[in-house]
Amino acid sequence: MAEGADSRGNPMTSTSSKVPESTISELLTQWDDYHLFQLAKFYRERLKQAIEEGVEGLSWMLRQEEHFSGQECEKVTKLAQNGKRRDSSTLFLSLVAEKGSRARRVMWESFVRMREELPKLDKILKEIQEFGPIPDVFLEIARGLTELPTQLKDVQQKHKETLRAQTETLRVNTILMREKVKVFQLVDRYAELTVISTVRDRRLVEHELLARGREHEELRDKHLREELEIIRNDELFHSSFSRSKSKSGSSAAVAGVPGIGKTTMVQKIIYDWATGKIYPHFQFVFSFKFRDLNPINCRINLRELVLDQYPYFGNILGEVWKNPEGLLFIFDGLDEFKHRIDFADNRRDTELQYMCPDPECRCEVSDIVYSLIQHKLLPGCSVLVTTRSTELHLLEKAEISVWAEILGFISGERKEYFHRFFEDQTVATAVFKYVQENEILYTMTYNPSYCWILGLALGPFFTQGGRDLQRVPKTITQLYPCYIYNILKIDGRDIESPRDVLLSVGQMAFTGVSEKKIVFTDRDLIKYNLQPSQLLSGFLTELLEREDSAQNVVYTFPHLTIQEFVAALAQYLTTDCRDILRLLTEAHSTSDGRFELFLRFVAGLSYPGSARGLEEFLGPFPHRTTCRVIDWVKKEVKCRIENADRRSLLNSLHYLYESQNCALAQAALGSLDTLLFSRFQLTPIDCAVLSHAIGFCDKIKHFDLCGCRIQCEGLQRLGPGLYKCQELRLGVNALGDSGVKLVTAILRNPDCKIERLGLNNNGLTESCIEDLVSALSTNRSVTWLELEHNKLGDSGVKLLSAALRDPECKIQKLWLNNIGLTDDAAADLASSLPENLTELNLSDNNLGDSGVTLVSAVLRNPDCKMQTLRLNNVRLTDACTADLVSHLSKTPSLKDLYLGSNSFSDRSVPALRHLILTLPSLEWIRLRGNQFSRTGKKKLRSLQEPRPGLTMEL
């Protein structure tokens, strides 16, 4: 499918609004064997992914039609059941291909039958409905691979040799030894990253690196398997992913957070093309980095732009332009481009000064890039653009055929990275084990650059026998001083004043954070009293990476987080700390998240232990600065507690966590008794930070986590401290049965103070009820239990009834609405209801007249304390009205009665009038959604005059 933008302009996968005249089933009957063969061939790689989760069912269908033997079907199924689903789907497709045309047709018919169960397969079928069976554009490209003219063959060979030489090695900085740079063969060091053929719809507010850790585990476990399609480097332009009805060319956008591997991915694409592994239909590939285009301040044309980087093309470019379908232009790092390209600016298509119709036309660099992406210049060529995720909005109106996002490492790829990073596998195992056990450090290891920082910072702790493992970093702030310390230890003694140099670098880094700038020039260095010559030797080469290009020399920090840490470190190296409070307050008030990690670093550095090693080279940190930061954090936490701004409060708690200052935390949080984060998505790191905060609270009256999507991992990181909460709301968090096991451990704590426990809408089944019942049998604090909107069923309710029968049971309010309860379990529930029960919610269950009659009969007990009874939408009819009224009228404590959305008619009006007249305690009755006539409603409303305190919903 073509990719587009949603109503808010966010890139996303779109589906055609055009309704096809024929269904896919009808189309299959119209297509001959050749069409189906081409479809299977064209979509083969995507089909491998699309059918993985349903390959057993598909195999069985082929077996039913006698195209698969029993042995073949069993072989496919066995692979799938052993976890080798991709191998299983590959085998399935190969077997069908061997069987011939009839089996192929049955396969496609089976795909149609399975489409609702397999979202990826459904997506492919929708594309086929829209585009038809023959991918004309790509078949034409494949047929159009004409023989290169003789004069172009030599320059193509020269071009490939040049690109191969430029991309065949990876230069990796290291601070673990005196060897500054290690050079690896790209093919040996390149780590495959997971790239998905869509861009998730999210406008990032908080810090990118932290935000992308948010759903990573969920994506790996669920969405990657069921919905998101993985796209390989060689599929961006030569597969169905980039299929377009336009013949003017294809543009692809690849997004990702800083350090995720966008530039390395581009390097691999260029290397693979130069060595003949991918994209044979591209005759020439031209690659540019936006950071190299920034210094060009004059009008220029595409010919000069190419010759400046690839001078050996000489005067032959005119021949190259004649076949634009054979050209791929790559532009890396749109977020680093200093000129904004407005793709929604209509002037670019109407005013001559913005137009760039041919390669010889002189114009601004931004106009050249715009014209290539929009296919105004060299129509038919292909363009690849990479950018940080937060800058995707720049491409909202661009003609992008494929949107892709790099997710980074998933599954075992993280572990594999560490084992490739360290030559000593014992060290690799130890470092990875330590990172894996630290939830703060592990969450961000989907990012290759972050793994690189972890390896450099943690490696010495596990390679040097004399190091104290107790001092291994536990927080993000503690990690980066180790990184800087390892640099200083090797090179710092050769620098006359490392403190002054780091202060200057830090000031430049802070300006970069403020202005969202990550690329610096010689002019920037000189502005901050840093001589470019310093980068030729010494520890500064490890802080700023130098990159020479044809246009200029630029410098970047190895990773955005290093830039942010050095910016924070600079606040402690200056002797003038008068403005730090204003700086921190202004940074915290910035809404786009650019200062989020910077502020965490500043707070973390206020703890003396965080930077103890750095003082050996940088001298002591000013005591006044430390005190002012601590006072600011304390004030900030207290202020955010009072104004209940969830995001600001969470950020403040992160500052407190990074500071690792127990006295400060106790002073700031001791009186905190309410934490409300309902419908505010929390990361696993957020949960760990909240757990840290709860540890310093005396008690929590109300902790609301409804709809925070914390899942089991988040709940586990919140830890046993939840026993302090009086009201704990955990609804809508996808905890599942396994999550309840964590909850029951909290309930068994002898000091548990939980009175209200909300577990609604968590995907619970009867399997978890036994654990819950066991915990409730020893717990004496829970008085309000919410289990609504779970699939407990009758069997689950019968198990729960055992706990309710316990004479020591303290439950007074029980919500069991919409749990799949029927009249089969009504007798068990009725016999177990505690006498002190004051509220019961059974709405949206299929109880019927008999089930409700059984439950309501219990309310005749003279000791019954029931005040609120909710029976909305439980399939009641007029037949049970007399019995129901007879029972309820004997419940003098009843105040609120909900009988909405049932099947009562005017026949029930007399009995309901009798109930209202004989039950003076009744304050509220809901009858809306029944089948009363206008006359019946009027008779019921007439009771409100003698009962002015009664509220009636009709």
Side-chain angles (χ1 to χ4, degrees):
M1 285 297 290
E3 301 277 327
D6 66 10
S7 59
R8 293 170 293 174
N10 295 314
M12 57 181 289
T13 302
S14 63
T15 55
S16 173
S17 58
K18 177 184 176 183
V19 179
E21 296 180 2
S22 305
T23 66
I24 186 68
S25 298
E26 293 170 339
L27 289 172
L28 287 176
T29 62
Q30 299 170 16
W31 293 337
D32 58 24
D33 293 339
Y34 172 75
H35 288 139
L36 296 183
F37 171 78
Q38 289 292 342
L39 277 176
K41 181 180 178 181
F42 184 66
Y43 283 103
R44 181 177 175 85
E45 292 304 317
R46 288 179 66 185
L47 285 172
K48 289 179 184 178
Q49 291 186 58
I51 66 174
E52 280 181 357
E53 296 303 309
V55 69
E56 300 103 309
L58 291 167
S59 182
W60 181 82
M61 291 178 185
L62 270 291
R63 175 76 177 93
Q64 288 291 100
E65 295 291 330
E66 299 183 351
H67 291 292
F68 277 10
S69 67
Q71 187 177 7
E72 288 169 331
C73 186
E74 183 180 354
K75 193 172 182 180
V76 172
T77 301
K78 190 173 182 180
L79 279 172
Q81 292 175 344
N82 289 338
K84 298 179 180 180
R85 290 197 165 271
R86 181 60 58 87
D87 293 340
S88 177
S89 59
T90 300
L91 175 61
F92 173 85
L93 294 172
S94 298
L95 288 172
V96 171
E98 294 171 2
K99 303 294 180 181
S101 58
R102 180 57 195 155
R104 190 180 300 113
R105 183 170 295 277
V106 172
M107 176 186 74
W108 281 103
E109 291 170 351
S110 301
F111 287 168
V112 174
R113 292 166 61 187
M114 291 282 286
R115 66 186 301 178
E116 290 186 6
E117 300 175 35
L118 302 170
K120 294 180 186 177
L121 183 60
D122 184 58
K123 180 181 177 182
I124 292 174
L125 294 176
K126 285 179 180 176
E127 291 179 17
I128 294 172
Q129 286 178 235
E130 181 176 1
F131 290 105
I134 303 297
D136 296 323
V137 174
F138 288 96
L139 288 178
E140 286 180 12
I141 290 175
R143 295 191 195 104
L145 292 177
T146 57
E147 186 74 14
L148 274 176
T150 304
Q151 65 269 33
L152 289 183
K153 282 186 178 180
D154 293 339
V155 75
Q156 185 193 61
Q157 184 63 29
K158 170 70 174 175
H159 189 48
K160 287 190 173 185
E161 290 174 359
T162 301
L163 293 182
R164 184 170 63 249
Q166 291 175 350
T167 58
E168 64 185 356
T169 58
L170 272 177
R171 294 170 60 86
V172 179
N173 284 354
T174 175
I175 58 175
L176 299 181
M177 56 194 72
R178 288 199 171 271
E179 183 184 6
K180 294 296 180 186
V181 175
K182 275 195 169 185
V183 179
F184 298 92
Q185 291 297 308
L186 177 66
V187 294
D188 295 334
R189 195 71 174 183
Y190 184 75
E192 291 292 343
L193 300 169
T194 298
V195 183
I196 53 176
S197 63
T198 185
V199 176
R200 289 169 289 163
D201 178 15
R202 182 189 298 134
R203 291 292 183 88
L204 298 180
V205 176
E206 59 271 84
H207 189 277
E208 284 181 327
L209 182 63
L210 304 182
R212 274 299 191 255
R214 188 173 301 266
E215 294 178 339
H216 211 67
E217 299 301 319
E218 178 184 345
L219 283 167
R220 180 198 65 189
D221 295 339
K222 182 177 186 295
H223 296 311
L224 277 175
R225 186 176 68 246
E226 297 179 2
E227 299 171 17
L228 299 178
E229 293 185 87
I230 296 175
I231 181 170
R232 300 195 314 263
N233 289 352
D234 62 335
E235 295 175 318
L236 287 168
F237 296 100
H238 196 56
S239 78
S240 56
F241 286 109
S242 58
R243 197 172 176 191
S244 172
K245 288 183 286 187
S246 170
K247 296 185 179 181
S248 60
S250 177
S251 294
V254 176
V257 300
I260 200 69
K262 299 183 292 295
T263 297
T264 307
M265 175 185 176
V266 166
Q267 181 178 341
K268 186 66 161 59
I269 289 173
I270 296 170
Y271 176 78
D272 284 347
W273 175 80
T275 53
K277 295 178 181 176
I278 63 174
Y279 299 139
H281 60 288
F282 289 137
Q283 295 171 346
F284 295 98
V285 174
F286 301 109
S287 178
F288 304 92
K289 293 183 179 180
F290 277 105
R291 65 173 63 171
D292 295 337
L293 302 178
N294 283 334
I296 303 176
N297 296 314
C298 59
R299 296 176 76 84
I300 193 172
N301 59 35
L302 181 60
R303 180 179 60 82
E304 293 169 338
L305 209 58
V306 171
L307 290 177
D308 187 59
Q309 193 152 329
Y310 309 105
Y312 44 82
F313 275 89
N315 296 321
I316 210 167
L317 276 177
E319 290 297 317
V320 173
W321 305 143
K322 289 181 180 179
N323 183 27
E325 289 79 8
L327 304 180
L328 169 62
F329 292 91
I330 300 176
F331 293 96
D332 184 28
L334 177 61
D335 51 284
E336 299 176 7
F337 195 34
K338 69 178 182 180
H339 302 290
R340 178 182 172 86
I341 307 177
D342 188 354
F343 287 89
D345 188 352
N346 294 328
R347 294 179 303 170
R348 290 186 176 275
D349 299 326
T350 58
E351 299 183 17
L352 289 176
Q353 68 264 36
Y354 299 110
M355 298 175 70
C356 186
D358 65 71
E360 304 297 324
C361 180
R362 302 183 71 83
C363 53
E364 301 293 334
V365 174
S366 58
D367 297 328
I368 295 175
V369 177
Y370 169 89
S371 299
L372 285 170
I373 293 175
Q374 298 296 81
H375 314 303
K376 310 287 184 185
L377 173 60
L378 296 176
C381 74
S382 296
V383 183
L384 170 63
V385 182
T386 71
T387 181
R388 282 166 61 176
S389 304
T390 51
E391 305 305 311
L392 271 176
H393 63 278
L394 299 174
L395 293 167
E396 285 174 0
K397 302 299 182 181
E399 294 185 10
I400 302 296
S401 306
V402 171
W403 298 96
E405 179 185 359
I406 303 178
L407 291 184
F409 292 146
I410 61 171
S411 190
E413 293 165 357
R414 309 178 192 217
K415 183 177 181 180
E416 181 183 347
Y417 180 92
F418 283 95
H419 279 273
R420 293 173 68 178
F421 185 92
F422 295 101
E423 294 180 3
D424 187 333
Q425 294 303 291
T426 303
V427 174
T429 300
V431 171
F432 181 73
K433 183 175 184 293
Y434 179 80
V435 171
Q436 194 174 29
E437 292 173 353
N438 186 306
E439 62 270 17
I440 297 294
L441 301 181
Y442 181 74
T443 300
M444 299 195 301
T445 53
Y446 71 91
N447 189 304
S449 289
Y450 188 71
C451 291
W452 174 78
I453 294 169
L454 281 167
L456 292 175
L458 296 178
F461 285 98
F462 296 89
T463 55
Q464 299 176 18
R467 296 298 286 269
D468 182 6
L469 291 182
Q470 293 298 318
R471 297 179 63 182
V472 180
K474 295 180 176 61
T475 68
I476 298 173
T477 304
Q478 291 173 5
L479 179 72
Y480 286 81
C482 295
Y483 175 85
I484 303 296
Y485 174 85
N486 288 333
I487 295 175
L488 292 170
K489 185 177 180 183
I490 295 176
D491 295 307
R493 304 187 193 282
D494 299 330
I495 302 297
E496 184 176 343
S497 179
R499 184 185 184 106
D500 291 343
V501 175
L502 265 176
L503 173 59
S504 297
V505 176
Q507 290 171 336
M508 185 179 73
F510 177 77
T511 300
V513 174
S514 303
E515 300 175 359
K516 291 189 173 181
K517 180 178 180 179
I518 61 175
V519 180
F520 304 91
T521 64
D522 284 339
R523 184 177 301 177
D524 293 312
L525 267 63
I526 294 171
K527 178 181 177 181
Y528 290 95
N529 298 317
L530 295 165
Q531 298 302 319
S533 60
Q534 290 178 296
L535 281 149
L536 299 178
S537 63
F539 78 98
L540 203 54
T541 58
E542 304 292 355
L543 282 182
L544 286 173
E545 294 182 343
R546 176 189 176 103
E547 184 174 328
D548 297 293
S549 70
Q551 294 294 330
N552 67 334
V553 178
V554 297
Y555 309 94
T556 59
F557 288 88
H559 192 259
L560 176 59
T561 54
I562 295 175
Q563 178 178 337
E564 291 165 312
F565 176 77
V566 175
L569 183 61
Q571 310 310 314
Y572 289 87
L573 300 180
T574 179
T575 55
D576 184 2
C577 61
R578 289 173 297 178
D579 294 333
I580 192 167
L581 293 180
R582 178 178 56 82
L583 181 149
L584 295 176
T585 301
E586 290 177 357
H588 183 74
S589 64
T590 304
S591 60
D592 62 6
R594 74 182 72 177
F595 290 111
E596 186 171 321
L597 203 54
F598 163 80
L599 287 168
R600 294 185 191 181
F601 285 141
V602 172
L605 286 169
S606 69
Y607 176 59
S610 293
R612 187 177 292 116
L614 292 181
E615 294 182 344
E616 176 184 338
F617 299 95
L618 305 179
F621 289 179
H623 182 66
R624 286 185 302 167
T625 302
T626 301
C627 290
R628 291 189 179 190
V629 171
I630 290 173
D631 289 342
W632 178 81
V633 172
K634 180 179 177 180
K635 179 181 177 182
E636 196 61 41
V637 173
K638 286 185 173 294
C639 175
R640 300 306 167 183
I641 289 172
E642 292 172 2
N643 66 21
D645 182 336
R646 296 174 298 178
R647 182 175 299 282
S648 294
L649 173 59
L650 185 60
N651 283 337
S652 299
L653 294 179
H654 273 280
Y655 308 154
L656 205 57
Y657 177 84
E658 291 295 324
S659 75
Q660 292 291 294
N661 188 326
C662 294
L664 172 61
Q666 186 64 52
L669 299 173
S671 61
L672 177 64
D673 63 2
T674 302
L675 285 167
L676 305 178
F677 287 97
S678 178
R679 295 184 298 281
F680 183 84
Q681 193 172 331
L682 298 172
T683 70
I685 288 181
D686 294 334
C687 292
V689 168
L690 284 172
S691 177
H692 176 261
I694 293 172
F696 293 97
C697 299
D698 297 330
K699 62 178 180 180
I700 303 290
K701 289 183 180 178
H702 187 187
F703 194 9
D704 191 347
L705 293 169
C706 281
C708 293
R709 299 177 69 178
I710 61 173
Q711 301 185 320
C712 266
E713 184 181 9
L715 182 60
Q716 189 169 20
R717 293 182 181 187
L718 281 165
L722 293 176
Y723 78 90
K724 294 182 179 182
C725 304
Q726 291 181 336
E727 184 174 334
L728 180 59
R729 308 290 301 280
L730 295 172
V732 200
N733 273 306
L735 297 180
D737 293 340
S738 55
V740 172
K741 293 182 182 296
L742 299 173
V743 175
T744 56
I746 299 168
L747 295 176
R748 290 191 178 95
N749 188 315
D751 297 321
C752 180
K753 294 179 174 60
I754 299 175
E755 297 176 5
R756 180 178 182 179
L757 177 61
L759 294 173
N760 53 294
N761 205 347
N762 266 307
L764 310 184
T765 70
E766 63 178 278
S767 302
C768 72
I769 294 299
E770 195 167 347
D771 287 320
L772 186 60
V773 167
S774 174
L776 289 173
S777 66
T778 58
N779 178 277
R780 296 294 176 258
S781 64
V782 176
T783 60
W784 188 342
L785 180 61
E786 301 173 11
L787 294 172
E788 68 269 26
H789 299 285
N790 287 299
K791 298 179 180 179
L792 304 182
D794 291 337
S795 53
V797 172
K798 290 179 180 180
L799 290 170
L800 181 62
S801 299
L804 298 176
R805 288 192 189 94
D806 189 333
E808 297 297 322
C809 178
K810 303 297 182 184
I811 292 177
Q812 298 175 16
K813 297 183 179 183
L814 182 61
W815 285 24
L816 297 175
N817 45 306
N818 194 13
I819 61 166
L821 174 63
T822 72
D823 56 354
D824 288 343
D828 288 279
L829 179 63
S831 66
S832 64
L833 293 178
E835 291 181 355
N836 61 344
L837 197 67
T838 62
E839 183 170 339
L840 179 62
N841 190 343
L842 297 176
S843 297
D844 302 306
N845 284 299
N846 190 17
L847 285 172
D849 293 341
S850 58
V852 170
T853 301
L854 286 170
V855 173
S856 62
V858 181
L859 306 183
R860 299 174 64 101
N861 188 325
D863 296 323
C864 178
K865 304 291 192 305
M866 186 67 69
Q867 296 179 8
T868 302
L869 180 62
R870 301 174 189 268
L871 295 171
N872 295 317
N873 190 26
V874 291
R875 311 290 178 86
L876 293 178
T877 69
D878 294 325
C880 79
T881 311
D883 288 333
L884 179 63
V885 168
S886 173
H887 298 154
L888 296 181
S889 61
K890 301 296 192 299
T891 313
S893 59
L894 192 63
K895 293 182 179 180
D896 302 317
L897 179 61
Y898 295 76
L899 297 171
S901 301
N902 285 296
S903 298
F904 292 139
S905 69
D906 287 356
R907 292 173 56 195
S908 295
V909 169
L912 292 171
R913 282 174 55 87
H914 173 73
L915 173 65
I916 294 170
L917 291 171
T918 58
L919 203 59
S921 61
L922 198 63
E923 298 175 357
W924 178 288
I925 183 168
R926 178 184 176 91
L927 295 167
R928 181 181 296 170
N930 284 291
Q931 301 171 13
F932 301 123
S933 68
R934 185 174 300 178
T935 302
K937 291 180 181 180
K938 186 176 180 181
K939 289 181 180 180
L940 289 169
R941 285 199 185 97
S942 68
L943 297 177
Q944 287 185 287
E945 273 191 41
R947 293 284 304 278
L950 176 66
T951 299
M952 187 181 301
E953 279 194 5
L954 285 169

